[in-house]
Amino acid sequence: MSLVTADILGVNVAAITMKEAVELAVQFIEKKNNAMIATANAEMIMRATYDAELKMILNKADLVVPDGAGTVWAANYLDCPMTERVAGFDLVQNLFKIAPQKKWRIFFLGSAPGVADKAKLKAEKDYPGIQIVGTQNGFFNDEDNDTIVKEIKKTAPNILLAALGVPKQEKWLYKYIGQLNCPLSIGVGGTFDVMAGVMKRAPLWMQRAKLEWMFRGMMQPRRAGRLLALPKFVLKVRSWKKKENK
Ligand code: UDP
């Protein structure tokens, strides 16, 4: 599959559908090449404009999917047709659906103590036969990194899901991916929180109305500043298009 990408504020995001993203993920797992998928929403792309390391990592990733209405809007506005968003949470659930039959082994890294274990139980209930071969919470010190890498390697996962928040998860994966010997790693943000019931996803009508960002801002009042992330992103993409003559 040749990938068409949209250059959004310097981050190359694949113009890809959910179905294609799942197919590519399967290929990555089967190729066993230590692939990395990032899920780029407007906030992540904004962050990459002032975090050069994050931008470099995203542009080196094997696949960056458009996670969010803002990303899809920006691509279309920049004349790169993009039909749908590929939310990290949904991509992961789609992979879980086929995991039992493929006999994939999956490791959950990240989120607060206990949350990944609850998410594991939820996955085992929803996808009978799924093999979640290990969990590790995301609140560890730098000196624990080597032990954690060893622990993950010992379980020989086909997929590593990292939920350490942006940009920690991308930077952690980039640093350790060569040692992990895991065919596919994905930065999945709040996925375990939602699976464990610690966080709610926006109701479907809000997702369809492209208002999930607003729901998230409302659910986390201490992060109400996040509500401004999307309007700021829109303004930035507009002035970028003018400046770059895109
Ligand atoms: N998280 C973690 N370790 C950290 C910071 C965050 O495991 O040092 C987890 C957090 O518990 C949550 C997930 O990362 O499950 C996403 O966190 P947040 O909502 O801060 O991330 P963002 O939405 O910015 O990606």
Side-chain angles (χ1 to χ4, degrees):
M1 192 186 305
S2 66
L3 276 184
V4 175
T5 58
D7 176 356
I8 307 175
L9 306 180
V11 175
N12 296 313
V13 182
I16 197 170
T17 61
M18 175 62 79
K19 188 167 172 282
E20 290 166 338
V22 172
E23 279 166 19
L24 258 182
V26 173
Q27 282 178 29
F28 290 149
I29 295 166
E30 285 168 1
K31 267 201 208 142
K32 300 187 182 154
N33 258 347
N34 300 342
M36 175 174 164
I37 296 182
T39 65
N41 60 12
E43 255 184 291
M44 188 193 272
I45 295 172
M46 281 293 267
R47 190 173 183 113
T49 62
Y50 60 85
D51 182 337
E53 187 188 358
L54 176 64
K55 189 193 221 169
M56 177 275 290
I57 293 172
L58 293 177
N59 286 333
K60 280 194 170 177
D62 298 84
L63 176 65
V64 179
V65 295
D67 183 348
T71 308
V72 174
W73 166 81
N76 286 302
Y77 181 75
L78 295 166
D79 303 316
C80 175
M82 207 178 259
T83 48
E84 64 182 17
R85 62 185 285 222
V86 179
F89 180 88
D90 297 326
L91 174 62
V92 162
Q93 305 303 311
N94 282 321
L95 292 175
F96 287 169
K97 266 185 214 155
I98 49 178
Q101 137 219 349
K102 297 265 189 194
K103 299 193 165 42
W104 288 334
R105 301 165 61 79
I106 305 169
F107 194 102
F108 285 0
L109 168 69
S111 63
V115 171
D117 296 308
K118 276 197 190 149
K120 171 179 167 17
L121 290 177
K122 172 82 172 137
E124 287 165 349
K125 182 167 160 263
D126 290 351
Y127 309 96
I130 197 166
Q131 298 182 62
I132 311 299
V133 292
T135 61
Q136 161 65 49
N137 78 64
F139 291 85
F140 48 82
N141 300 319
D142 277 353
E143 54 266 31
D144 300 324
N145 281 329
D146 291 338
T147 317
I148 290 172
V149 167
K150 270 193 206 138
E151 241 173 62
I152 297 173
K153 265 184 91 170
K154 234 188 345 198
T155 65
N158 303 90
I159 305 175
L160 168 63
L161 301 181
L164 304 170
V166 177
K168 197 172 165 186
Q169 62 202 21
E170 286 72 25
K171 292 182 181 178
W172 197 94
L173 287 176
Y174 184 75
K175 186 164 177 196
Y176 293 106
I177 208 158
Q179 298 175 39
L180 285 164
N181 205 11
C182 177
L184 176 62
S185 300
I186 313 178
V188 293
T191 292
F192 303 153
D193 289 342
V194 175
M195 290 179 69
V198 176
M199 270 271 294
K200 276 209 170 67
R201 250 195 117 182
L204 263 188
W205 71 265
M206 273 186 112
Q207 290 185 40
R208 289 197 183 116
K210 306 189 182 357
L211 291 175
E212 187 155 25
W213 59 278
M214 190 184 275
F215 180 84
R216 283 202 193 153
M218 285 170 357
M219 294 303 280
Q220 292 176 294
R222 78 192 154 86
R223 296 180 142 188
R226 284 187 160 189
L227 281 172
L228 286 178
L230 197 58
K232 277 191 193 156
F233 175 72
V234 169
L235 291 178
K236 189 139 188 159
V237 171
R238 283 191 176 178
S239 64
W240 193 72
K241 179 170 176 168
K242 268 193 210 140
K243 211 167 72 199
E244 304 274 314
N245 237 339
K246 292 256 178 199

